[in-house]
Amino acid sequence: MDFQVVVLAGGTSKNLLPLVSKEVPKALLPVANRPVLSYVLEQLELSNLKDLIVVVEGEDAAIHVGGWISNAYVDRLHVEVAAVHEEVGTAGALRAIAHHLTANDILVVSGDLVFDVPPGALAAAHRKHNAVVTTMLCPAPVSGPTESGSSGGKDKIKKPRRYNIIGLDPSKQFLLHIGTGAEVEKDIRIQKSILRAVGQMEIRADLMDAHMYAFKRSVLQEVLDEKDEFQSLKEDVLPYLVRSQLKSEVLFSGVPQTEENGNEKVSSQNNQAVVSRIMANASTPSFHELSSGYNGSTHVRRIHKCCAYIASESRYCQRLNSIQAFSDINRDVIGDASHLSGYSFSAHNNIIHPSAQLGTRTTVGPHCMLWEGSQMGDKCSVKRSVIGRHCRIGSNVKVVNSVVMNHVTIGDGCSIHGSVICSNAQLQERAVLKDCQVGAGFVVTAGSEHKGESLARK
Amino acid sequence: MDPRRAPRTVSDPKVRKVGFFTDPPDRSLPGPPNHPISSFPTSPPSTVDNSPPSAGNSLSPVMIPPPRHSSSILSPLRRDPPEFFPLPASPTASTTFSDDVASTMKGRGVAAASSSLPGGLLFDIAASSVPASGLTTVSVVNNLPIEKGGGVAVEMQDDQSSRSKSLKEKTTKAERRALQEAQRAAKATAKAEDGKTPAAASGAAASVKSGKSVKPPPSQKNDSAALAALEKKAGDRPPEKDRKKEVPQPRMQFDDKSRVEKAKRRAVVKQTEARNRVELFRHLPQYERGTQRTELQSKFFELDPVHPAVYKVGLQYLYGDICGSNARCIAMLQAFQEAIKDYSTPSEKTLARDLTAKIGSYLSFLIECRPLSISMGNAIRFLKNRIAKLPLTLSELEAKATLRSDIDRFINEKIILADKVIVKHAVTKISDGDVLLTYGSPSAVEMVLLHAHELGKQFRVVVVDSRPKLEGQLLLHRLVGKGINCTYTHVNAISYIMHEVTRVFLGASSVLSNGTVYSKVGTACVAMVAHAFRVPVLVCCEAYKFHERVQLDSLCSNELGDPDVISKIHGREDINFLDGSTNSENLQLLNLIYDATPSDYISMIITDYGMVPPTSVPVIVRDYRREHLWI
């Protein structure tokens, strides 16, 4: 279908700092014991997209990611891994691999996306309108544990975060305005010309830009070339394209059709004009054409279209770009959106690997995952948590709403609520953790209590 | 409005006039075309020959009646149109062909895989400020393409059958031999199918060699069946023995459960059929638009065999972004042009065969998006014919170039030039002070109006429109933009506005050989009101849209649109009273797309062959067919 797929897998993100490290870049963070990148890759594979370019920030990270992909997807995917410098941003990353892009349209997917929206839908919307950029919008996730109000004992009520301010046309197909990140709290500036052309704009705050885009390659490359200062797709390139859609500055190098037929040049051009007029009259014009044509103005305004594809509510789509999102996604993948994980759940709605050993009177509740070789002592209780490989958990341990990665040792009598414990960490006896992140290899001393802290080796 | 009403069928031949019959003298049309029309023979009808299908002169399903039978055209039912002799489903070799196709696809898939980025690229390119990066291939696929060869095979056969016919006509000896072999092959395939053995390959080979006429499976969708019918007629009349076979299959009837099931299995896109359908129209396909769209979209990357350009056009059909038969036809042809440009013949295949199969698969995709219009059917028939007629000596590049220029020529000659001629003719019918009425947004009529305006004629236009598409508004917008005086009204007010109208110009999706005009729903109503008010009705229609089919009503062949668009009014949530009850068993929504206007209500058809009365359509169909094929 003439699409090239670029997966932006990122590097070691600062937002996730105690969790990620040199050895575990963001793309390899485990979500239900699978690297987060695997969710993207498998979704793409489902859509028959097997030629991928994975862009990773930093050489070391690239080696790790590349090594993992070659192990996991040998014979299944044709993946090329490109390493780019850190801190170049998403736009910079694309700029660095621009010379590898050849197809007409480029599908750019963020590597930290956990989703089950078919990418084909986005691509179809893109093709249908011949758009310059099409972005996927999904319902903004409600962060925080959903049903743990009583057990978690939450003391502060979380407001649903506002991710984006998005303006749509009445048919909900075209993107008229997009405000991202920092702009959200400020006043919204909307261009009059666009508003005048459309007549009516719907402003939504409940949608999130899922960071999955389809770009027209020629336009993308041109924008990247000309606007050196653009760092991020989401905050620079996309708003720029949306802003300038009625007074397009991009040259469509592909658009002027090359007429090879040398004979009867004049008449054929004349006929071309008639054909294009018939076609234009037959199709229902979008506001772009209405605003540019028909006014009797001789100079044709250059326009391009920015489309949006809104994923339906029933689909799951979330980005792993914060620690909160990390625990949310882990919870969802083994809970509400369990079809994503690819595992089959037991009758108790949990997964306990056959090689895991449970002590007496130890309960593992629903929406839990206990992976291979892990041992648990007596009288433990696990609720809505993921426990990785080869963990040693003592007796009388409570694990609620948490993620425990691989090779973690937890002493007797520990209590872990809403925390993330990275690989090789050690919790000595009677440690109490609440909403904490424990970095890889960190040792939590016996009897210590922590709340809302980020613990990591300095 | 029921076209089978009494006044038509019992029209007194002495009173019935063909062509223009304007009673008020001030409204009579000036100009020469009156004379040839008035001289058209209107002799009383003799007994209509009710001969059985074996009669010699009934070979062609659509007869050009001899002049003394001129009015017998009105009763084509008695002329044994082929649709009334459905054949039992005959065993076909479709399974065997799909194997071939599958291997084609596989070949393509591999090629695609190898043409991707070369692995291990380590370019040192200074791309602006950012240091270039190298790509490292870390894993390689064994590509396992998924192929869907179902729909393809059918088209291949269609092609063969049409080709085979031309073979057959050469000598009677060869003809007999071919027939014999065909029967043998048919038997072989029947046996193969009975035994459910994959050994049908040999049968297929035999059928290829013998060039027997394989009928398309009956469950192919509507228009491709019609298409097949078209192609059957491509050759001249087949010998008597073959005639039974030549009768085209009836169109796919969507109320026939088993066939629908079969067609579903073959479909590229899973579609859910709408539940509450009007009883009378159960035989027409109707799908839940919502599911169809999401299904099609999410399958985007899986529809590998469909060329992107074709896919885009299909999507635009589905969403109604392109409507109007000229535009749809042009869009399709241009998409095929793109597809041919990117086409390369796989090894061990011939271009003619493989490309026909490819086009066939595109076509079945397009049909799933929206049933083909008759104009598109004709265009496809032309294209397939061109492919079949390609000389074998041509290289692939030359062949592709030839085909693309053929398509260009078709668009230019059959649509654009035809429109120009139509404009030239029709403008003579517009005089100062006229009030012209048009319905919808027909492209040809729009050109006529604009040209007449450029010539400085003083006239006024009444644009009649109808829900749900309200295409007339766009036409109105453009006409007013050019400075033409316009009146805009909906079809409800047609009887009121008709008082002041002096001419009615209509567009058509097709003109059938009994003079019936097949056009946007509501056209018949406008034409009948105009007839009642003695206002001449002129239909502008390019000759490539003519079809030899005979249709008496708009029931047996029509298209159902999205029922939601008539139950909902966009942007008016306050009056969406039907919202809750659309799923109720008691409510059936009917959104018909086309209707058939009986020829009685048409004064004249303006086509690129001149201005003709509707009774002359068969002549054009007959002559044009031949010329059309050898364009």
Side-chain angles (χ1 to χ4, degrees), chain B residues 212-223:
Chain B
K212 62 145 187 160
S213 60
V214 187
K215 267 174 274 7
S219 46
Q220 186 65 0
K221 288 236 171 92
N222 283 359
D223 285 89

Side-chain angles (χ1 to χ4, degrees), chain A residues 47 70 76-77 81 83 120 283, chain B residues 133 136 138-139 141 297 301 321 416:
Chain A
S47 300
S70 57
R76 281 166 67 193
L77 294 176
V81 174
S283 55
Chain B
S133 67
T136 329
V138 293
S139 101
V141 226
Q297 288 191 334
F301 290 112
D321 285 355
I416 292 168

Side-chain angles (χ1 to χ4, degrees), chain A residues 1-5 46-51 53-54 66-67 69-71 73-85 88 92-93 95-97 99-102 107 118-125 127-130 170-171 173 224-225 228 259-261 268 270-272 274-275 277-285 290 294 309 315, chain B residues 112-113 116-123 125 127-144 146 294 296-304 306-309 311-312 315-316 319-324 326-328 330-331 334 341 404-405 408 411-412 415-417 419-420 441 443 446-447 450 469 474 477-478 481 570:
Chain A
M1 276 297 178
D2 209 11
F3 259 89
Q4 241 176 333
V5 184
L46 267 183
S47 300
N48 207 15
L49 291 168
K50 294 180 178 170
D51 284 320
I53 300 176
V54 175
I69 293 176
S70 57
N71 271 333
Y73 290 99
V74 71
D75 279 4
R76 281 166 67 193
L77 294 176
H78 183 255
V79 180
E80 332 238 358
V81 174
V84 296
H85 273 263
V88 290
R95 209 173 278 144
I97 59 147
H99 54 280
H100 293 300
L101 303 178
T102 50
L107 189 70
L122 176 78
R127 272 286 158 77
K128 183 179 144 234
H129 292 292
N130 200 14
S171 67
Q173 288 178 330
L224 290 177
D225 281 351
D228 280 338
E259 186 65 51
E260 293 114 57
N261 300 348
S268 81
N270 203 356
N271 287 347
Q272 288 278 330
V274 178
V275 167
R277 207 176 69 217
I278 290 178
M279 299 302 290
N281 290 352
S283 55
T284 37
L290 280 176
Y294 300 141
Y309 171 77
R315 300 286 190 172
Chain B
S116 65
L117 283 179
L121 278 180
L122 282 167
F123 291 158
I125 295 174
S128 65
S129 61
V130 186
S133 67
L135 291 183
T136 329
T137 309
V138 293
S139 101
V140 182
V141 226
N142 297 337
N143 229 355
L144 295 171
I146 303 153
T294 49
L296 194 68
Q297 288 191 334
S298 53
K299 280 268 181 78
F300 183 77
F301 290 112
E302 286 143 73
L303 293 170
D304 229 8
V306 179
H307 190 272
Y311 182 89
K312 185 180 165 194
L315 216 60
Q316 284 171 331
Y319 279 87
D321 285 355
I322 299 182
C323 47
N326 274 343
R328 279 172 69 194
I330 292 175
Q334 284 177 339
K341 196 170 95 183
R404 294 180 57 205
S405 70
D408 264 337
I411 295 177
N412 288 341
I415 303 176
I416 292 168
L417 269 182
D419 275 339
K420 280 182 187 156
S441 171
S443 57
E446 182 180 348
M447 288 184 211
L450 291 181
K469 275 198 178 140
L474 288 173
H477 187 103
R478 294 190 287 262
H570 188 70

Side-chain angles (χ1 to χ4, degrees), chain B residues 75-111:
Chain B
S75 57
L77 249 184
R78 281 174 258 178
R79 291 211 165 253
D80 81 288
E83 286 82 3
F84 294 102
F85 294 94
L87 276 191
S90 72
T92 64
S94 69
T95 48
T96 62
F97 279 104
S98 61
D99 285 348
D100 263 3
V101 178
S103 65
T104 316
M105 306 296 175
K106 203 169 282 177
R108 262 179 54 81
V110 171

